[in-house]
Amino acid sequence: MINRLGRDWLVEFNNSIKENKIKNKYKLFIDCKKNYGLLIDLLELEVEYLKTEADKNTLKRLNQIARKNKVSLNPNFSIVDLSRIKHINKKITNILAG
């Protein structure tokens, strides 16, 4: 989606979330695939988590840029959509209680 809309769309999206004063803290995770131009633009914006597909040499160079901007490149974590889990509040309460 960002690939077609560009960096400016992401900046405005981020600003609108901040203006609405969302109570939950959030971090952005963006998959850039092989769009290295978009990846470098997002590194400069210091988006927290970026994912890309690259060969070994290119990935090494991109990691150097990511470290300078304090951005995590190709992080290793799972994303879970909690809206699809039935009775999530009960399950979380049981986990925390036990």
Side-chain angles (χ1 to χ4, degrees):
M1 186 172 182
I2 293 173
N3 197 14
R4 294 186 182 129
L5 298 175
R7 167 187 170 161
D8 296 330
W9 178 84
L10 181 65
V11 170
E12 289 302 319
F13 174 73
N14 212 6
N15 289 339
S16 68
I17 289 176
K18 288 179 183 176
E19 285 175 6
N20 291 331
K21 298 179 182 176
I22 303 291
K23 292 181 182 179
N24 299 332
K25 292 183 181 179
Y26 68 95
K27 294 185 179 184
L28 298 173
F29 173 77
I30 300 172
D31 187 358
C32 297
K33 303 234 184 243
K34 291 189 176 189
N35 189 345
Y36 305 130
L38 175 64
L39 179 80
I40 292 172
D41 278 346
L42 296 176
L43 282 170
E44 290 173 357
L45 282 177
E46 297 181 3
V47 173
E48 291 85 3
Y49 302 109
L50 295 171
K51 182 180 176 184
T52 188
E53 299 170 5
D55 63 356
K56 186 177 178 181
N57 292 330
T58 306
L59 193 59
K60 184 177 178 181
R61 292 180 187 136
L62 292 172
N63 269 324
Q64 290 174 349
I65 298 169
R67 271 189 239 120
K68 286 182 183 177
N69 293 309
K70 299 175 185 173
V71 174
S72 180
L73 190 62
N74 290 340
N76 189 15
F77 61 84
S78 299
I79 299 173
V80 179
D81 185 7
L82 297 178
S83 66
R84 295 182 182 194
I85 300 174
K86 295 180 182 179
H87 308 293
I88 187 67
N89 291 334
K90 271 178 135 176
K91 290 181 181 182
I92 291 174
T93 304
N94 287 341
I95 289 171
L96 293 176

